[in-house]
Amino acid sequence: MSAEAADREAATSSRPCTPPQTSWFEFLLEESLLEKHLRKPCPDPAPVQLIVQFLEQASKPSVNEQNQVQPPPDNKRNRILKLLALKVAAHLKWDLDILEKSLSVPVLNMLLNELLCISKVPPGTKHVDMDLATLPPTTAMAILLYNRWAIRTIVQSSFPVKQAKPGPPQLSVMNQMQQEKELTENILKVLKEQASDSILVLEAALKLNKDLYVHTMRTLDLLAVEPGMVNGETESSTAGLKIRTEEMQCQVCYDLGAAYFQQGSTNSAVYENAREKFFRTKELIAEIGSLSLHCTIDEKRLAGYCQACDVLVPSSDSTSQQLTPYSQVHICLRSGNYQVRLKIFIEDNLTFSLPVQFRQSVLRELFQKAQQGNEALDEICFKVCACNTVRDILEGRAISVQFNQLFLRPNKEKIDFLLEVCSRSVNLEKASDSLKGNMAAFLKNVCLGLEDLQYVFMISSHELFITLLKDEERKLLVDQMRKRSPRVNLCIKPVTSFYDIPASASVNIGQLEHQLILSVDPWRIRQILIELHGMTSERQFWTVSNKWEVPSVYSGVILGIKDNLTRDLVYILMAKGLHCSTVKDFSHAKQLFAACLELVTEFSPKLRQVMLNEMLLLDIHTHEAGTGQSGERPPSDLISRVRGYLEMRLPDIPLRQVIAEECVAFMLNWRENEYLTLQVPAFLLQNNPYVKLGQLLAATCKELPGPKESRRTAKDLWEVVVQICSVSSQHKRGNDGRVSLIKQRESTLGIMYRSELLSFIKKLREPLVLTIILSLFVKLHNVREDIVNDITAEHISIWPSSIPNLQSVDFEAVAITVKELVRYALSINPNNHSWLIIQADIYFATNQYSAALHYYLQAGAVCSDFFNKAVPPDVYTDQVIKRMIKCCSLLNCHTQVAILCQFLREIDYKTAFKSLQEQNSHDAMDSYYDYIWDVTILEYLTYLHHKRGETDKRQIAIKAIGQTELNASNPEEVLQLAAQRRKKKFLQAMAKLYF
């Protein structure tokens, strides 16, 4: 080899070592050196940092020639960046513990959504509707990873988070943090709405009995080179990283257990499910053993969960002797049997089985109850504290502040109990010298801290004191006590409670902050804040709890208050009032808001109007949750205040969107259509999108009885909703020369976003308004060109039958919205037959025929007293009957098809005869002959069975024909009565089958 060639080769081989003037991710992207980088012992940047950088670059918005911000382009570079992020996650073996620890919720959400996309999970399809057993292994595993992360994130969000100390204020950093916080909250909101579906998906995964596979770097490379391979090697039974069934089930059981345990705080019955899942996890860990490569369970945390479940849901066959100390303490807490609890704590001083943190938490709970006015617990607090202090002493820890406070006023009973605890906590025959020394030093210190010599002699003459201290030590201690100069007795002055005892400033501040968090009494909150500000002027006490949240539109005004005490008080009163309103504790919310209103009225007209607005929203919620549920109209004063809010034109008043939304929904729910259509000021229609939408809905409801030509408002409403459901789109020519349509985000031309519209609709309860909205979206769904099966709805004829620009409408979003709206409407009134028909049509259109029959039959049942009356013909139209016929046909219930053919206005003999010729019917066949009233069909059955030589079935058909009420010579009324009786019995039989 020449020297020149050798130099070139050396230069080439050394090039990756130092990336020239470019960022790491671009260097790795251009040079395809990702795998080599990840194989380094300590790669810098770390893998998780690479994921963040790749996804941030792939999601950067672009700017067009008109300087307009556009969504990230779907180009080759961005697709490769997403693929590289997936490859790094594959290198980490999709370990959620590592990914969750290092990645934020938005980044991990983006990563897992990319995994779903590349694993060919159909977009817009609910995971709960997919059969994991029939999916390719990599697709099923991607769905499991996403839903495991979803419930883990929900559980993690329920834990308290220590608030970070704010550094120097930097506007850009604060804006970025606020954006990430809002994005995280939006993702969490969606995850919580889908939590029940995620749990169902994971429960279904536990029934799988096959190994799964997850994408590796190699399979992802195959996808990048040849996308078609996704249906070949990468989804076969041998591609990717193998996850054994036991490992998958172990992880899923643990995550489900954590989710159920978190739900148990609001529904204690769920703890049983959590207990089952955690103990199943322990069994699976024992089965897997050291062979597990991919199952990482925190066994200490699992043990803690199991102990907690044993306490909350003890086994039904357990006796008091078999209960763990945890369970016994918990039972004592619930029953108020404090003596047994003290006995458990004293016995534990010998065994050291209960963790110190657990014992301290029990004491904190007692302190809280005592603070709330239960004075009888003061003595119990001291006794539990004494037990805990002796445990601390035996283990070499310092005496707690609480014990010193509670023992500042000693008496005979306290000293007797303390000596009893000390005696029963030490086994003198088996105790070590260090343990005995700790106890002796404690007793000496107690004596030295006592003023009254009578109490000193009680201790010094006790058997334990005599045993542990030598004669010389005891005599020296007694002499010291006798000779020391008199000291001031701190117990002469009466003390009302142990909170009045002098303590260090930090202890007092901590106790007061704890009370501040718990209190919902406005006067008490004010008193606590006055005390806190008297102790220190450097703290901002509105930041004590990260659960105190005030809308951003208000926080700027409140935090601008110059007086620190007033600022803290206004912020905390509003935050607590909003929280109480959220949890439907309306009485406390009203007290807090009233106190806040009284306070701000003195100095801020702007905040006064804010509080009046919030109190209006609170009164709306109070009425809707109370007398409004029984149909009682709201008082006229409340309606006037709602009108006043909508017409308010005060400048610079911060307004929350949700208040306008609730006010318009309130007016629609109570049929204030006259005001919305005729009396709303023009400026409101231009400035408030919810008022505009409410006016169009109210006017459409008013115009319904009129002729079709007069329904101009319906056309306006149609155009508004079409604009909301539109998307901006563009065409792009790919590298292969093909032109593709790239859909962008929701169009900003509408008066609001689709998610905001859906949120508003879910605040409505008026049946006519919900029917109007449902029919509009159903019509919009039916307009698309590729629709096969239309969905029917009431009043659907009032809407236009076409859209000028079909490509601008996001029909996938429309379909999802229709499903969401029907589900919500049926939660309001599950007996509305028109909504039930819409739900049935949706299932019919998506080939779910058994579910479709269920809702068709339910629609008929609710309007006919379970078919005891005739189903109205406008409910069971010919189209509905034909769809029921098709459902039965595709379910191979051919005899049911023949019977339903009689329900049509003109009997469909062709379909009936064809179905009866089928011999593989899955229904009861000849037992249904009693439900046939058409003699022609019965005669055809007789002929068919005779032709097949089926004598028994032929006799059944002949017997059915021979019934006197089916004689053609009978009057028409008799024949109709016979038909109606058979319809009733057949539909009731079908209902029992499909309900």
Side-chain angles (χ1 to χ4, degrees):
M1 180 186 295
S2 66
E4 184 180 349
D7 290 342
R8 274 200 310 269
E9 184 177 10
T12 305
S13 62
S14 63
R15 187 172 54 181
C17 298
T18 56
Q21 297 181 353
T22 182
S23 64
W24 262 107
F25 72 89
E26 288 181 348
F27 181 67
L28 295 173
L29 171 63
E30 293 170 3
E31 303 294 336
S32 302
L33 296 173
L34 179 63
E35 294 186 40
K36 184 174 180 180
H37 176 74
L38 294 175
R39 284 198 296 269
K40 292 179 181 179
C42 297
D44 184 20
V48 289
Q49 293 173 338
L50 286 175
I51 293 176
V52 174
Q53 292 186 31
F54 289 145
L55 291 179
E56 280 183 353
Q57 290 298 316
S59 59
K60 271 189 177 180
S62 60
V63 179
N64 61 13
E65 296 176 355
Q66 289 79 27
N67 287 329
Q68 294 177 334
V69 178
Q70 300 289 327
D74 186 16
N75 53 28
K76 181 180 179 182
R77 179 179 182 275
N78 284 349
R79 287 195 294 271
I80 292 177
L81 283 169
K82 293 175 183 177
L83 181 64
L84 288 175
L86 292 171
K87 289 176 70 175
V88 177
H91 169 75
L92 298 173
K93 298 182 180 178
W94 301 100
D95 190 330
L96 286 180
D97 290 331
I98 297 174
L99 296 174
E100 289 172 338
K101 185 177 180 181
S102 307
L103 299 179
S104 64
V105 171
V107 172
L108 193 45
N109 179 58
M110 191 187 311
L111 179 71
L112 292 176
N113 273 296
E114 288 300 327
L115 176 63
L116 292 174
C117 181
I118 206 167
S119 300
K120 300 300 180 184
V121 177
T125 304
K126 286 194 173 184
H127 295 171
V128 72
D129 295 334
M130 303 177 74
D131 186 0
L132 295 177
T134 61
L135 293 175
T138 51
T139 305
M141 193 62 197
I143 291 174
L144 287 189
L145 271 172
Y146 179 84
N147 287 282
R148 279 185 58 217
W149 167 75
I151 64 170
R152 285 162 66 108
T153 304
I154 295 169
V155 171
Q156 190 64 34
S157 70
S158 67
F159 297 154
V161 180
K162 186 176 181 181
Q163 205 167 23
K165 293 184 179 179
Q170 297 180 13
L171 187 59
S172 60
V173 175
M174 291 174 67
N175 287 341
Q176 185 179 354
M177 291 173 62
Q178 182 64 26
Q179 288 174 4
E180 183 170 334
K181 181 182 177 183
E182 290 176 358
L183 186 56
T184 301
E185 288 174 351
N186 291 337
I187 293 172
L188 277 172
K189 182 180 178 182
V190 173
L191 293 180
K192 287 175 182 177
E193 289 174 355
Q194 299 172 350
S196 57
D197 288 352
S198 293
I199 289 174
L200 290 175
V201 170
L202 296 180
E203 288 284 7
L206 296 178
K207 300 175 184 177
L208 295 177
N209 56 1
K210 65 176 183 179
D211 296 334
L212 297 180
Y213 294 81
V214 69
H215 281 301
T216 61
M217 297 179 75
R218 175 177 171 273
T219 58
L220 291 170
D221 279 334
L222 289 174
L223 286 174
V225 174
E226 189 176 351
M229 291 293 290
V230 77
N231 293 320
E233 183 179 358
T234 56
E235 287 185 358
S236 71
S237 59
T238 58
L241 182 65
K242 179 178 178 180
I243 308 295
R244 292 192 300 152
T245 308
E246 295 82 3
E247 293 177 319
M248 177 272 291
Q249 290 182 348
C250 185
Q251 291 174 322
V252 171
C253 276
Y254 180 75
D255 292 337
L256 279 173
Y260 287 138
F261 193 87
Q262 185 246 345
Q263 293 176 355
S265 59
T266 55
N267 181 7
S268 58
V270 184
Y271 282 128
E272 183 65 41
N273 295 339
R275 186 180 191 280
E276 177 189 344
K277 292 294 182 287
F278 285 133
F279 281 87
R280 177 57 182 156
T281 305
K282 290 180 69 174
E283 294 173 4
L284 288 168
I285 289 175
E287 289 178 20
I288 297 169
S290 59
L291 299 176
S292 176
L293 298 175
H294 315 295
C295 181
T296 55
I297 303 294
D298 186 345
E299 296 193 35
K300 287 186 179 179
R301 194 174 187 85
L302 174 62
Y305 272 129
C306 291
Q307 285 182 339
C309 289
D310 272 337
V311 170
L312 296 167
V313 191
S315 300
S316 57
D317 58 346
S318 61
T319 63
S320 59
Q321 288 77 17
Q322 295 170 331
L323 290 173
T324 64
Y326 289 101
S327 303
Q328 293 175 355
V329 170
H330 186 70
I331 291 170
C332 293
L333 280 170
R334 287 187 295 183
S335 63
N337 190 346
Y338 300 113
Q339 296 304 321
V340 175
R341 188 190 322 175
L342 291 171
K343 179 183 176 184
I344 295 170
F345 275 20
I346 294 172
E347 291 174 353
D348 181 65
N349 285 347
L350 289 168
T351 60
F352 296 173
S353 59
L354 291 174
V356 176
Q357 294 82 357
F358 173 73
R359 296 172 61 126
Q360 290 173 348
S361 70
V362 173
L363 180 59
R364 279 196 298 271
E365 187 171 341
L366 286 171
F367 274 148
Q368 290 174 8
K369 291 182 179 179
Q371 173 196 335
Q372 292 167 2
N374 192 345
E375 296 180 0
L377 288 179
D378 288 348
E379 181 184 351
I380 300 299
C381 284
F382 168 76
K383 290 184 176 181
V384 173
C385 186
C387 293
N388 288 353
T389 300
V390 172
R391 167 73 180 271
D392 290 338
I393 294 303
L394 294 175
E395 292 189 316
R397 287 187 292 274
I399 299 174
S400 66
V401 175
Q402 291 98 330
F403 179 78
N404 287 328
Q405 290 177 334
L406 293 171
F407 205 62
L408 276 175
R409 291 186 299 166
N411 55 36
K412 183 177 182 301
E413 289 75 18
K414 287 184 177 180
I415 292 176
D416 280 341
F417 181 78
L418 181 62
L419 290 171
E420 179 189 356
V421 174
C422 292
S423 301
R424 294 172 59 183
S425 300
V426 179
N427 187 337
L428 294 175
E429 296 178 359
K430 299 180 180 179
S432 63
D433 291 340
S434 63
L435 193 146
K436 292 178 182 178
N438 290 340
M439 181 61 75
F442 171 64
L443 292 174
K444 283 174 62 177
N445 287 331
V446 170
C447 289
L448 290 171
L450 292 171
E451 300 292 333
D452 193 331
L453 290 178
Q454 177 187 353
Y455 297 148
V456 176
F457 292 137
M458 282 180 64
I459 297 175
S460 62
S461 61
H462 193 272
E463 181 182 357
L464 179 65
F465 187 88
I466 296 171
T467 304
L468 292 177
L469 275 79
K470 297 178 182 179
D471 291 343
E472 295 79 8
E473 292 177 318
R474 284 186 280 112
K475 289 179 181 178
L476 181 62
L477 175 65
V478 173
D479 289 341
Q480 284 179 336
M481 298 296 298
R482 283 174 174 169
K483 292 177 181 178
R484 71 181 180 180
S485 58
R487 294 170 59 186
V488 178
N489 192 342
L490 298 177
C491 299
I492 293 175
K493 182 181 178 181
V495 183
T496 56
S497 75
F498 58 81
Y499 285 109
D500 297 322
I501 297 169
S504 66
S506 61
V507 171
N508 281 334
I509 289 175
Q511 291 173 347
L512 288 172
E513 286 180 347
H514 185 63
Q515 295 177 48
L516 185 63
I517 292 172
L518 295 177
S519 179
V520 289
D521 179 7
W523 182 88
R524 180 61 183 149
I525 292 170
R526 178 176 174 275
Q527 291 298 109
I528 293 171
L529 283 173
I530 291 172
E531 290 183 48
L532 287 170
H533 279 274
M535 293 178 180
T536 176
S537 60
E538 300 174 358
R539 293 283 301 279
Q540 296 179 339
F541 293 102
W542 62 270
T543 63
V544 165
S545 173
N546 65 342
K547 299 293 184 184
W548 292 341
E549 293 185 355
V550 168
S552 56
V553 292
Y554 297 163
S555 58
V557 181
I558 296 173
L559 298 181
I561 299 173
K562 294 181 179 179
D563 182 68
N564 293 341
L565 174 60
T566 306
R567 179 198 61 213
D568 288 346
L569 184 55
V570 172
Y571 189 99
I572 293 171
L573 288 175
M574 178 176 282
K576 284 178 173 283
L578 291 171
H579 173 73
C580 288
S581 178
T582 302
V583 299
K584 300 188 185 306
D585 184 2
F586 299 124
S587 59
H588 280 124
K590 193 159 190 174
Q591 292 175 14
L592 291 160
F593 281 164
C596 192
L597 175 63
E598 182 180 355
L599 176 64
V600 299
T601 300
E602 300 174 2
F603 65 92
S604 175
K606 185 183 295 187
L607 284 176
R608 177 181 179 276
Q609 188 59 52
V610 165
M611 291 314 305
L612 289 173
N613 296 345
E614 288 297 329
M615 292 187 77
L616 170 61
L617 181 60
L618 177 64
D619 288 343
I620 290 174
H621 287 163
T622 304
H623 179 267
E624 296 295 314
T627 56
Q629 288 187 334
S630 60
E632 181 179 335
R633 281 191 62 80
S636 57
D637 170 66
L638 182 56
I639 295 176
S640 299
R641 287 166 61 201
V642 171
R643 292 183 180 184
Y645 174 83
L646 292 175
E647 297 171 10
M648 182 175 60
R649 298 187 68 176
L650 295 175
D652 300 329
I653 299 296
L655 300 174
R656 276 211 297 161
Q657 176 179 292
V658 68
I659 302 181
E661 190 177 343
E662 290 279 0
C663 284
V664 175
F666 177 86
M667 300 296 275
L668 286 170
N669 285 334
W670 295 106
R671 296 177 290 282
E672 291 292 322
N673 296 338
E674 198 72 22
Y675 170 80
L676 289 172
T677 53
L678 300 177
Q679 301 175 30
V680 173
F683 76 90
L684 265 183
L685 298 175
Q686 298 171 358
N687 300 329
N688 193 322
Y690 294 100
V691 174
K692 174 70 174 176
L693 186 61
Q695 188 219 31
L696 292 173
L697 284 168
T700 304
C701 291
K702 283 184 65 178
E703 290 178 2
L704 268 183
K708 188 174 181 180
E709 305 79 59
S710 67
R711 298 172 189 159
R712 293 190 54 82
T713 314
K715 184 180 179 183
D716 294 338
L717 178 59
W718 167 268
E719 291 173 355
V720 165
V721 173
V722 168
Q723 193 69 59
I724 291 173
C725 294
S726 296
V727 292
S728 57
S729 59
Q730 65 181 24
H731 291 82
K732 182 175 180 180
R733 187 175 298 278
N735 294 333
D736 54 358
R738 291 182 296 181
V739 176
S740 59
L741 178 66
I742 302 174
K743 285 190 176 180
Q744 307 295 344
R745 296 179 178 175
E746 292 181 42
S747 173
T748 55
L749 300 176
I751 62 173
M752 63 181 69
Y753 288 110
R754 185 180 63 86
S755 57
E756 294 173 337
L757 173 62
L758 189 59
S759 172
F760 172 71
I761 295 171
K762 288 187 177 180
K763 291 179 171 61
L764 301 174
R765 293 180 293 100
E766 172 59 22
L768 181 57
V769 178
L770 285 173
T771 301
I772 292 286
I773 294 170
L774 265 175
S775 69
L776 190 156
F777 274 96
V778 166
K779 183 66 175 182
L780 189 55
H781 173 273
N782 292 343
V783 164
R784 61 191 297 180
E785 295 173 343
D786 58 342
I787 199 74
V788 177
N789 295 306
D790 283 352
I791 301 174
T792 56
E794 276 188 278
H795 311 304
I796 200 168
S797 61
I798 69 174
W799 311 112
S801 56
S802 62
I803 299 175
N805 187 6
L806 279 174
Q807 289 78 12
S808 65
V809 178
D810 187 353
F811 285 107
E812 290 180 4
V814 170
I816 293 171
T817 304
V818 171
K819 293 177 184 178
E820 288 285 333
L821 291 181
V822 175
R823 190 180 297 114
Y824 169 72
L826 289 176
S827 71
I828 298 296
N829 181 8
N831 294 326
N832 187 302
H833 64 83
S834 67
W835 300 346
L836 290 167
I837 291 291
I838 295 174
Q839 182 68 81
D841 283 349
I842 291 172
Y843 280 123
F844 181 82
T846 54
N847 303 328
Q848 300 180 67
Y849 301 113
S850 179
L853 272 175
H854 170 91
Y855 281 96
Y856 284 133
L857 289 167
Q858 192 173 342
V862 297
C863 59
S864 64
D865 191 19
F866 198 69
F867 304 112
N868 285 309
K869 302 174 184 175
V871 180
D874 60 337
V875 177
Y876 275 3
T877 62
D878 271 4
Q879 180 177 331
V880 170
I881 298 298
K882 287 177 181 177
R883 291 189 171 184
M884 292 174 71
I885 288 171
K886 185 174 180 181
C887 289
C888 292
S889 177
L890 291 167
L891 293 171
N892 286 335
C893 298
H894 300 296
T895 314
Q896 294 174 6
V897 170
I899 297 171
L900 285 170
C901 286
Q902 303 172 109
F903 284 63
L904 297 168
R905 287 182 174 82
E906 293 183 10
I907 299 176
D908 187 354
Y909 290 109
K910 181 180 178 181
T911 303
F913 292 166
K914 185 177 178 181
S915 66
L916 291 173
Q917 291 172 8
E918 298 286 344
Q919 292 184 295
N920 62 338
S921 184
H922 293 170
D923 55 22
M925 297 182 68
D926 49 356
S927 65
Y928 280 114
Y929 291 177
D930 286 339
Y931 304 135
I932 301 174
W933 64 87
D934 185 81
V935 176
T936 305
I937 295 177
L938 286 170
E939 288 174 347
Y940 180 77
L941 274 171
T942 306
Y943 159 77
L944 197 61
H945 291 314
H946 174 72
K947 182 179 177 182
R948 293 175 180 170
E950 297 169 341
T951 308
D952 293 342
K953 293 181 179 180
R954 179 172 176 270
Q955 289 301 320
I956 295 172
I958 292 173
K959 183 180 177 183
I961 295 175
Q963 297 177 78
T964 55
E965 57 188 351
L966 297 183
N967 193 317
S969 302
N970 287 337
E972 186 64 26
E973 296 80 10
V974 174
L975 293 174
Q976 288 182 0
L977 186 61
Q980 187 57 42
R981 186 181 297 116
R982 284 161 175 75
K983 282 184 180 180
K984 165 192 166 183
K985 290 182 178 179
F986 172 72
L987 290 173
Q988 287 176 342
M990 289 277 284
K992 290 177 183 177
L993 185 63
Y994 287 99
F995 280 5

